[in-house]
Structures are given as structure tokens and as C-alpha cells.
Amino acid sequence: MSASSTTTIWIINLVVLAAVLEADLIRPLVIAAGIAAYWISGVATSGTGLWVEAAGIGTGILLGIAAAALMRVYTAGDGRPYSYAWIPYALLWMAVVGARLWFDYAAHHTFPVQLGTWMDANQLTKSALIDAFIFLALAMLLTRTGSLAVRSRALHGTPPGMLAAGGRGATRPTDGVPERLTRD
């Protein structure tokens, strides 16, 4: 992996992290579209590249479900839906982004020969590996955003309160937390 691919990986990960830690439902979709249009170089259509990219998407979906489960959607006094997430949500995203950045670092400094040998033996291109990490980030982002959209729409038929990830109503968990920290 070259220095430009390292820069690409850092930019994508930090933009996605910023989007999910402070964003509404539209910004993550715009960011995902921009990332996909600008950085995905070509999807593998067969072989190991296809499987690695599919694994990135599957892992991203599972992590997106986990992230969404750590968020709450509720209605405020104005009847509009808001989301609330706290430290576990932020820690999950930071751990995932940190793991992706660690892999990028280790691929250059810790195990570049071993990774290159494995990629050659399995006929995996650098482009397919990078795309797999991009797909992981996008799938996680879009799954989390899609879950929030579905859950906020479900609020229109429920009394004011909270709609948890499992769809059960509950009281708002943000009592005592400044409002500026609870709005999504």
C-alpha cells in the first residue's frame, strides 16, 4: 500500500467518524455517496477479491447493527424525533476506526511482507483490499443511519417517549444531560 492509499484510509475513517459522532440522518448519506463516488476504484467481480469485499460489507452491517443498538430514538416536546447516544456508542466507533487505522499502519510497518505474500498467494489485489475496508465503513454507516431512519419513522405512531433499538417504548434517558449533548 502506498502513501496515497494510507492518506485515503485516514481521510475516509476520520470523515466517517466525524459524521456518526455529530450528524443528522442526511449528512451520513451524502458522505457515503461522496466516498463511494470518489474512492472506490472498482469492485471485484470474482475470486478472493469478491469474497474479501463481501466480508467487508457483512462485517460493516453487523457493526452498524451494533452501533444502532447503542442509540436511542425519542420524541422531544416538539414531537420531532431525536437520537441519543453516549459513551458506549462513541467507544464502538472509535474502536472500529482505530482497528482499521491500526491495520493500515501494520500493513506498512509490522507485516508488509506477510500481507503481500498472502495477497499474492490468494490473488487479492491491493484495490480489492482497500475497497473492502471502504465497504466496511460505508455498510456500517448506512446500516446505522437506516436503522435510525426506520426507528424515527416508527415514532410517528407511538406516544412521546423513547423507541429503543428493540422497538420497546421507554422513558427518555437524557434527564440531567444538557440538551445540546442529546440532539442528533
Side-chain angles (χ1 to χ4, degrees):
M1 291 187 198
S2 67
S4 65
S5 67
T6 297
T7 303
T8 296
I9 290 168
W10 273 88
I11 290 170
I12 290 170
N13 281 295
L14 295 177
V15 166
V16 167
L17 183 62
V20 299
L21 292 180
E22 182 59 39
D24 53 24
L25 290 178
I26 301 300
R27 272 182 278 179
L29 299 177
V30 171
I31 289 169
I35 289 170
Y38 189 76
W39 275 297
I40 294 177
S41 59
V43 179
T45 57
S46 64
T48 305
L50 177 63
W51 287 106
V52 169
E53 289 174 356
I57 292 169
T59 303
I61 290 170
L62 292 174
L63 290 169
I65 290 169
L70 294 172
M71 297 189 76
R72 301 293 175 250
V73 178
Y74 63 94
T75 55
D78 61 4
R80 294 178 50 202
Y82 293 93
S83 64
Y84 169 79
W86 201 238
I87 294 172
Y89 174 80
L91 290 175
L92 173 67
W93 278 98
M94 288 188 287
V96 170
V97 168
R100 290 191 306 246
L101 294 175
W102 172 84
F103 181 85
D104 178 58
Y105 174 84
H108 288 89
H109 302 287
T110 305
F111 50 76
V113 173
Q114 296 87 341
L115 179 61
T117 302
W118 178 81
M119 289 174 65
D120 286 342
N122 290 286
Q123 300 177 342
L124 180 65
T125 64
K126 177 179 85 169
S127 175
L129 184 60
I130 291 170
D131 286 350
F133 280 102
I134 294 171
F135 290 150
L136 185 150
L138 294 179
M140 186 175 178
L141 176 68
L142 294 174
T143 301
R144 167 257 184 209
T145 303
S147 171
L148 289 178
V150 167
R151 290 166 42 207
S152 68
R153 294 256 186 243
L155 284 175
H156 293 293
T158 59
M162 172 163 344
L163 189 65
R168 299 173 304 276
T171 59
R172 184 174 168 203
T174 56
D175 295 334
V177 177
E179 186 65 22
R180 65 181 171 75
L181 296 177
T182 63
R183 294 198 178 237
D184 190 27

